[in-house]
């Protein structure tokens, strides 16, 4: 009607219709299903029928994408740092300081290809590292686990071994009690939406804010289900230092808590259950091991300290009387425990110094209450819908076009359906991600592996550099998020400027974050400017069956909607042009354009059994029919609670990982839930920071670390940003800059928001929307204050992942006005013998900031 | 209206009903307005809105309470399409009232009319410096005229907080009466076409607290305590404490003056305290029962 063409797209925030007119994006809307699309499921609960809205709901960051595409911060042509000469002076010390000049694609590609070859010849394998973020614009072809990995394998690279940042606490802790290594220590969610609506009486949200974190990629799919729960009279409790948006919407009892003290609260609740006889004794007897030792610890028989509600009160700030009331409520009602984003793991409390202690307590509590019995499970209605779990479409971690068989799910998924040329990276050298700067600055680092194949793999340390391999001298950086997602991130400045780093190339869409530290910037385009294909919300890999957070499974052609802006190119195109210069072009492409690969993925999937390629392209998306009534997945853990053979269709643990009979029991050595984990006893028996018996050890940076707390009395948590997906759609003059709970404009600059309690603000003379300096010994960030009673006293809450890193020097002090709060967090691992991050253990002070933030670049 | 029901054509006039109890501040409506209006020209309806700065849909926050007893209500605000619109009068042709109720700032005739920003008592008009235009949320009339079922904001709202009512004025008034819908600043008598449900969460206050008692060795919270709110010796409200001992009298008019809270539990005794109701909600904290 308005001469526009309607394309389809899938983003990290959900699927979209994209209306394009005269080569420009006009608008983006959620997809409302039509009558020809597959039907929706219906759940019967308590005499009512619940059918979801026929829309693919979207997160706010999806609706702000147009502004990111047309951002004035887009990199539109290749750019070289003015004082970088690959054949002469490289001036590494000027990274992040000097300006850029535009160069041609030919010059740029020659420079990269030449440098890749030079590194190999001069330094040998491993001299180049590829560093990227954990997320990517959606898709199966262009994703970093797909095209980038294929590129990397063909040239060889030192891998940056990520810490399990999303699963922190669960991987290092909870996994030892209940297994699930292939879910990185968290549980699945099968069948829990129906069970929760039918049976549950109370949901305890513990460090869980699904209205902000959207089940990661699921838009607002869980929201309607939680509103159903409210209609049904299911009660809610929210244990969080922040009266978070989920608590705001649903109501219920908010229990404000000091960050990182949660294990103390959990132990006190368990203490009440023991002394008041409020736990499931039969379940504990039959399904768990070593409860006696844990009970004795709760009672203080081993250390003389009973873990009473009074014992925890000063620590947590939660009155003893509230703890008793909560403990009784919890035991007296059929209760779901919701930890983190989708209820069965994750959570900001896992990203503090006590993260593993907390996650361990969470699962111990459920073991005491009969995990898996009707109405007693993990979840927050964010996941576990009755969608069809067998319909095959690969998730983003299932291999794509990578040819890689080890570091993603290709070997068990996409490769088997879509054979393609296998690629192998012969460089086994790894850099632990959180020690990336030290690896460069000190030339060495030790890490512990994140590998979910088996519980035992986390115990073996690895060293950088690895014998025989070259230390890194070239960084191939993909995007620019590290200043706001890596801990103590100002370390990166020095690392980038280190003389051992001869070449930094950043393949970036926007001029933001670290892009300004590169010698050469290659302009990548957004997902709206290239072809891809994907299933909404489907991570695959460790996020197996993650699509069951959705009400309707949606597979879509991610259409190229517009031409790449300026001279930008798709990542795939850039890789193939570089590889052509190395004689590897055909090996990389197999003669395929991106659209050819898209069709190969389509053909290999079950969608091709339902609709033709032509039909799929015409409509743009396909809705997978829901599971047939009667064939819905069983409820997670019900088999375990009832002592039956496992009837959940998840291909884990592996056949060899059942200690007893195949299909019976958990992945733990005993097959039971272990209060004192055998795998810790075997693998790490004497670690005082991760004891076999999960005693409470206060955070190494927190209110109890006296000297720090005196100087920096406020606890800061910086958790996942509600209105952006990490750095995606933040900053760069995107629409989110004008969302009051995201950034606040003061004198023309959009400052990052810091929430603080009214009393703490009053004590410091801070008023709502004043500019404040948040600081500690590691640095200073200027934010806009959001003053309210919605954060616990003594706590400041903000978001991680500002896209902007803008250090400016004012009166001799360097402050960041971009909002990169990870400048302030500690790089220390949560505990010895782990590679884990603890950004939510961070002490700061906040003062009013009156200086004019003159936008002068720091020297 | 449930999500799955398509809005039925029950008349020709446009209204919006916004349930502030369902607004979760996701800002999808704010962003959808920007997505629709920034950078786009819709002849006869709108010139491109500014990419940076406050948009024509915005969210206003109202926080109540202290301690753990807090709540927050978000009020999405936009042009209310008043039937007695001062902007239409001031516009002298530059602002038009359509038959369907929509108030439309003409993107050509309104050029340079900065005065129209001040003409709106609701602050609904945004000045676009680059275009030299006063701009508003015009109900996505360009889309509705082209056959779209609902405006963008209603289409993206995850909770159904924003609902379109395509109905005649009498039917709308019946819903207003039956659901107690309200408009902002009714004393101005501008007859807005955007109605709110649950505005009590914004302009009424509560008095709350937590009932405790010493029971055996511990201080405990006490559920099921009868609590009365008393004013000038008259019981104005009663309630019962919940599982956490919390009680709350909500929906009170601000500035109600001195009150007394009387709590009585058959086993654990009684307690009394004073509570002064001013402009803001009051959380009295712990109220300890004792036998006397
Ligand atoms: N303080 C604190 N820190 C945290 C956390 C926390 O809770 N608190 N959470 C941690 C967790 S769980 C996570 S997952 C990490 C996330 O941290 P990151 O993964 O580092 O953050 P992202 O913003 O997702 O980074 C993605 C980068 O890839 C780029 N990119 C995306 N798509 C494309 C593309 O198509 N082409 C190219 N060339 N580039 C692309 C983006 O521009 C961006 O720079 O943060 C961790 N850090
Ligand atoms: N919109 C959006 N959604 C996202 C992301 C995003 O960037 N943007 N990122 C995605 C990714 S990669 C991940 S890993 C998940 C993360 O999902 P989560 O790990 O669940 O999210 P967080 O925001 O880190 O934490 C959730 C809640 O924990 C609270 N919290 C923090 N510290 C403590 C503590 O010590 N104790 C208690 N009790 N509570 C605490 C925070 O206040 C917050 O309300 O989110 C995903 N979803
Ligand atoms: S043998 Fe195994 S794989 Fe084959 S049909 Fe039976 S269960 Fe399935
Ligand atoms: S879209 Fe709905 S819930 Fe979100 S801010 Fe707007 S009215 Fe509120
Ligand atoms: S809200 Fe303001 S701009 Fe809109 S019709 Fe009423 S007076 Fe005019
Ligand atoms: Ca099936
Ligand atoms: Ca694997
Ligand atoms: Mo994550």
């Amino acid at each position: 009607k308005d001469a526009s063409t309607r394309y389809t797209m899938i983003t990290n925030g959900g699927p979209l219709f994209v209306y394009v007119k005269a080569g420009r994006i006009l608008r983006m809307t959620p997809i409302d299903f039509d009558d020809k699309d597959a039907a929706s499921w219906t759940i019967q609960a308590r005499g009512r029928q619940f059918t979801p809205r026929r829309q693919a709901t979207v997160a706010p960051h999806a609706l702000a994408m147009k502004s990111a595409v047309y951002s004035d911060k887009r990199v539109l042509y290749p750019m070289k740092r003015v004082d970088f000469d690959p054949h002469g002076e490289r001036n590494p010390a000027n990274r992040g300081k000097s300006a850029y000049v535009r160069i041609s694609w030919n010059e740029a590609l020659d420079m990269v290809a030449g440098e890749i070859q030079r590194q190999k010849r001069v330094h040998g394998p491993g001299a180049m590292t590829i560093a990227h973020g954990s997320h990517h614009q959606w898709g199966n072809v262009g994703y970093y686990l797909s095209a980038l990995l294929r590129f990397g394998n063909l040239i060889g690279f030192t891998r940056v071994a990520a810490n399990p940042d999303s699963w922190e606490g669960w991987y290092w802790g909870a996994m030892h009690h209940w297994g699930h290594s292939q879910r990185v220590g968290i549980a699945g969610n099968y069948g829990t939406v129906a069970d929760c609506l039918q049976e549950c009486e109370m949901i305890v949200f513990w460090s869980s804010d699904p209205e902000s974190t959207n089940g990661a990629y699921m838009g607002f799919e869980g929201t309607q289900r939680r509103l159903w729960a409210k209609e049904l009279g299911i009660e809610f409790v929210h244990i969080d230092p922040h009266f978070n948006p989920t608590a705001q919407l649903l109501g219920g009892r908010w229990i404000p808590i000091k960050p990182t003290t949660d294990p103390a609260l959990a132990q006190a609740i368990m203490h009440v259950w023991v002394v008041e006889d409020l736990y499931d004794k039969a379940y504990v007897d039959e399904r768990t091991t070593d409860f006696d030792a844990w009970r004795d610890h709760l009672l203080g028989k081993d250390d003389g300290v009973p873990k009473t509600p009074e014992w925890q009160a000063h620590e947590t700030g939660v009155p003893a009387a509230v703890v008793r009331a909560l403990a009784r409520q919890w035991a007296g009602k059929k209760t779901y425990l919701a930890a983190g984003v989708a209820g069965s793991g994750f959570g900001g409390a896992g990203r503090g110094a006590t993260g593993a202690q907390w996650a361990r307590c969470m699962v111990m509590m459920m073991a005491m209450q009969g995990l898996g019995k009707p109405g007693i499970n993990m979840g927050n209605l964010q996941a576990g819908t009755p969608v069809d779990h067998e319909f095959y479409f690969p998730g983003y971690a299932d291999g794509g076009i990578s040819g890689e068989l080890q570091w993603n799910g290709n070997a068990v998924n996409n490769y088997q359906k879509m054979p393609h040329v296998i690629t192998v990276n012969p460089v086994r050298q790894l850099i632990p991600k959180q020690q990336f700067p030290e690896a460069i600055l000190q030339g060495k680092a030790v890490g512990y592996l994140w590998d979910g194949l088996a519980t035992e793999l986390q115990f073996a340390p690895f060293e950088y550099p690895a014998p025989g391999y070259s230390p890194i001298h070239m960084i191939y950086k993909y995007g620019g998020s590290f200043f706001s997602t890596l801990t103590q991130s100002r370390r990166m400045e020095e690392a980038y400027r280190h003389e051992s780093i001869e070449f930094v190339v950043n393949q970036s869409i926007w001029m933001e974050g670290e892009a300004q530290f590169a010698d050469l910037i290659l302009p990548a385009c957004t997902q709206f400017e290239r072809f891809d294909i994907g299933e909404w919300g489907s991570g695959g890999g460790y996020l197996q069956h993650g699509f069951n957070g959705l009400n309707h499974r949606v597979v879509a052609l991610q259409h190229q909607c517009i031409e790449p802006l300026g001279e930008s190119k798709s990542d795939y195109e850039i890789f193939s042009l570089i590889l052509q210069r190395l004689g590897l072009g055909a090996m990389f492409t197999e003669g395929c354009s991106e659209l050819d690969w898209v069709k190969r993925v389509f053909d290999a999937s079950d969608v091709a059994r339902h609709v033709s390629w032509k039909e799929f392209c015409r409509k743009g998306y396909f809705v997978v029919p829901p599971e047939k009534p009667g064939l819905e997945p069983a409820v997670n853990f019900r088999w375990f609670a009832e002592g039956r053979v496992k009837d959940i269709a998840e291909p884990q643990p592996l056949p060899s990982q059942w200690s007893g009979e195949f299909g019976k029991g958990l992945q733990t050595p005993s097959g039971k839930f272990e209060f004192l984990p055998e795998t810790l006893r075997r693998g790490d028996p004497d670690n005082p920071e991760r004891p076999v018996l999960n005693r409470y050890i206060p955070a190494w940076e927190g209110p109890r670390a006296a000297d720090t707390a005196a100087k920096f009395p406020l606890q800061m948590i910086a958790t996942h940003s509600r209105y952006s997906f990490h750095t995606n759609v933040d900053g760069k003059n995107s629409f989110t800059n004008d969302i009051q709970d995201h950034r606040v404009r003061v004198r023309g600059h959009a400052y990052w928001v810091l929430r603080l309690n009214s009393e703490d603000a009053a004590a410091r003379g801070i008023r709502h929307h004043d500019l404040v300096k948040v600081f500690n010994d590691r640095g200073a960030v200027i934010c806009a204050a959001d003053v309210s009673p919605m954060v616990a006293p003594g706590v400041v809450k903000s978001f991680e992942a500002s896209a902007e890193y803008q250090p400016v020097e004012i009166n001799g002090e360097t402050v960041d006005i971009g909002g990169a709060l990870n400048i302030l967090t500690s790089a220390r691992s949560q505990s010895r013998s782990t590679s884990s991050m603890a950004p939510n253990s961070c002490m700061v002070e906040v003062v009013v900031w009156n200086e004019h933030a003159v936008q002068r670049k720091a020297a | 209206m449930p999500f799955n029901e398509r809005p039925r054509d029950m008349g020709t006039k446009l209204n919006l009903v916004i349930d502030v109890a369902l607004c979760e501040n996701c800002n999808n409506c704010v962003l959808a307005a920007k997505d629709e209006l920034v950078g786009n020209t819709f002849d006869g309806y709108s010139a491109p809105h500014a990419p940076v700065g406050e948009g024509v849909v915005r969210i206003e926050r109202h926080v109540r309470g202290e301690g753990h007893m807090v709540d927050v209500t978000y009020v999405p605000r936009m042009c209310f399409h008043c039937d007695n619109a001062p902007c239409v009068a001031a516009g002298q042709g530059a602002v038009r009232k359509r038959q369907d109720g929509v108030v439309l700032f003409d993107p050509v005739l309104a050029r340079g009319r900065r005065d129209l920003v001040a003409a709106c008592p609701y602050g609904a008009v945004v000045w676009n410096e680059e275009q030299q235009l006063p701009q508003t949320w015009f109900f996505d009339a360009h889309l509705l005229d082209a056959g779209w079922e609902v405006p963008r904001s209603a289409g993206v709202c995850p909770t159904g907080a924003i609902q379109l009512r395509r109905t005649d004025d009498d039917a709308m008034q019946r819903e207003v009466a039956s659901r107690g819908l309200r408009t902002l600043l009714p004393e101005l008598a501008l007859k807005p076409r955007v109605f709110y449900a649950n505005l009590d969460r914004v302009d009424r206050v509560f008095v709350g607290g937590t009932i405790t008692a010493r029971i055996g060795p511990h201080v405990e919270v006490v559920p099921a305590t009868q609590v009365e709110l008393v004013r000038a010796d008259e019981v104005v409200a009663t309630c019962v404490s919940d599982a956490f001992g919390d009680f709350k009298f909500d929906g009170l008019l601000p500035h109600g003056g001195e009150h007394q809270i009387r709590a009585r539990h058959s086993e654990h005794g009684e307690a009394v305290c004073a509570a002064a109701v001013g402009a803001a909600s009051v959380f009295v904290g712990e109220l300890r029962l004792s036998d006397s």
Side-chain angles (χ1 to χ4, degrees), chain A residues 1-2 19 21 24-30 32-35 51-55 57-61 63-66 202 211-212 220 223-224 227 230 235-237 243 245-246 248-249 253-256 276 310 320-322 324-326 328-329 722-723 733-736 738-741 745 768 786-790, chain B residues 2-4 6 21-42 50-55 59 61 63-72 74 142-143 145-148 150 152 154-160 201 210 212 215 217-221 223 242-246 286:
Chain A
K1 256 169 268 166
D2 55 3
Y19 293 73
K21 189 176 172 180
R24 255 189 83 86
I25 296 172
L26 185 67
R27 71 170 68 86
M28 304 182 184
T29 73
D32 286 298
F33 303 132
D34 62 34
D35 299 341
T51 306
R53 172 188 200 175
R54 287 189 52 80
Q55 183 187 71
T57 58
V58 299
H61 46 90
L63 287 172
M65 288 294 261
K66 190 173 97 175
M202 181 165 90
E211 294 305 326
S212 295
F220 288 97
T223 305
Q224 190 179 14
L227 291 174
K230 188 172 177 166
E235 290 171 32
F236 307 115
V237 170
F243 184 63
T246 304
Q248 293 172 18
L249 174 66
R253 180 55 151 88
W254 175 36
I255 300 182
E276 298 189 6
E310 284 72 18
V322 174
R324 285 205 173 79
L326 173 62
R328 290 171 193 154
Q329 279 275 92
R722 190 178 195 203
Y723 303 100
N733 292 322
S734 56
F735 294 157
T736 52
D738 284 298
I739 292 180
Q740 290 292 290
D741 272 276
R745 225 173 262 285
H768 192 55
D786 180 309
V787 178
S788 84
M790 296 195 288
Chain B
F3 286 117
N4 294 324
R6 307 249 169 198
L22 280 176
C23 175
E24 61 159 312
N25 188 35
C26 74
N27 277 264
N28 271 7
C29 53
V30 171
L31 292 164
K34 288 216 170 209
D35 176 75
E36 186 66 29
L37 303 171
V38 172
N40 292 335
T41 303
F42 299 108
V52 165
E54 197 174 68
I59 309 287
R61 179 174 96 178
V63 186
R64 305 190 304 172
E66 299 161 82
H68 74 266
M69 200 173 280
V70 293
D71 61 27
V72 55
Y74 297 96
H142 63 303
L143 298 176
D145 290 353
W148 287 51
V150 296
R152 293 288 312 269
V156 298
C157 179
T159 62
R201 292 176 54 126
T210 305
T212 63
I215 302 175
H218 309 123
V219 173
E220 308 245 10
V221 300
D242 69 12
F244 288 95
D246 286 349
E286 198 182 314

Side-chain angles (χ1 to χ4, degrees), chain A residues 485-554:
Chain A
T485 58
L486 198 76
T487 49
Q488 208 168 333
S489 55
R490 257 184 87 184
R491 297 177 294 155
M492 284 301 296
E493 280 197 5
E494 238 190 298
Y496 269 124
R497 291 177 183 149
H498 197 255
E499 58 188 5
S500 68
I501 302 302
E502 298 164 0
F503 185 51
V504 180
V505 53
N506 195 323
Q507 185 162 313
S508 192
I509 304 170
W510 297 280
M511 190 62 191
E512 61 181 6
E514 291 147 279
Q516 58 192 325
F517 284 79
D519 302 322
L520 177 67
I521 305 176
L522 302 177
C525 68
T526 71
Q527 61 180 143
F528 297 84
E529 295 149 70
R530 59 175 177 81
F531 276 104
D532 213 319
I533 185 170
E535 174 174 2
W536 175 23
S538 182
Y542 291 136
L543 302 168
Q544 206 171 83
H545 294 153
F547 50 69
N548 76 12
L550 301 171
N551 290 326
H552 308 84
R553 291 184 64 181
V554 178

Side-chain angles (χ1 to χ4, degrees), chain B residues 124-241:
Chain B
V125 186
V126 173
W127 178 248
N128 183 331
E129 189 62 37
E130 193 193 311
Q131 299 283 339
Q132 289 293 303
L133 273 178
Q135 294 177 315
T136 60
W137 179 73
F138 53 93
F139 230 115
D140 291 335
H142 63 303
L143 298 176
L144 299 181
D145 290 353
W148 287 51
E149 285 179 349
V150 296
R152 293 288 312 269
S153 50
V156 298
C157 179
T159 62
I162 301 188
Q163 306 260 337
L164 173 70
R165 289 289 183 278
R166 225 188 255 267
T167 179
D168 61 53
D169 289 344
D170 288 346
M172 192 63 232
Q173 281 311 316
R174 281 196 296 277
E175 182 178 350
V176 166
S178 70
R179 290 182 64 198
L181 303 180
R182 294 205 263 145
T183 57
L184 293 182
L185 303 177
E187 60 275 20
L188 299 179
L190 303 186
K191 299 180 77 179
R193 305 191 70 82
V194 175
F195 302 90
Y196 291 98
N198 289 311
L199 268 189
D200 282 9
R201 292 176 54 126
V202 172
D203 56 13
R204 301 294 168 89
V205 297
F206 69 73
V207 172
T210 305
I211 308 290
T212 63
R214 179 160 282 281
I215 302 175
H218 309 123
V219 173
E220 308 245 10
V221 300
V222 185
T225 308
Q226 299 290 326
V227 192
E228 293 175 344
L229 185 68
V230 181
R231 188 182 173 200
D233 276 339
E234 194 189 325
V235 177
V236 291
T238 60
C239 71
V240 177
S241 64

Side-chain angles (χ1 to χ4, degrees), chain A residues 802-825:
Chain A
S802 139
E804 312 277 358
Y805 176 59
Q806 296 172 274
V808 297
E809 201 191 299
I810 293 169
N811 299 337
E813 184 185 12
T814 300
V815 297
D816 170 49
I817 59 168
L821 284 170
N822 262 322
I823 290 172
L824 309 180
T825 61

Side-chain angles (χ1 to χ4, degrees), chain A residues 713-756:
Chain A
L714 297 171
Q715 287 184 275
M716 182 182 85
I717 52 174
T719 68
H720 291 239
S721 156
R722 190 178 195 203
Y723 303 100
S724 67
F725 197 80
H726 298 290
T727 63
N728 191 34
V729 214
D730 170 55
K732 39 192 164 299
N733 292 322
S734 56
F735 294 157
T736 52
N737 276 7
D738 284 298
I739 292 180
Q740 290 292 290
D741 272 276
H742 188 71
R743 284 184 182 267
V744 170
R745 225 173 262 285
V746 180
R747 292 192 285 272
H749 182 77
Y751 287 91
W752 202 241
V753 171
L754 184 86
R755 295 163 191 78
L756 75 171

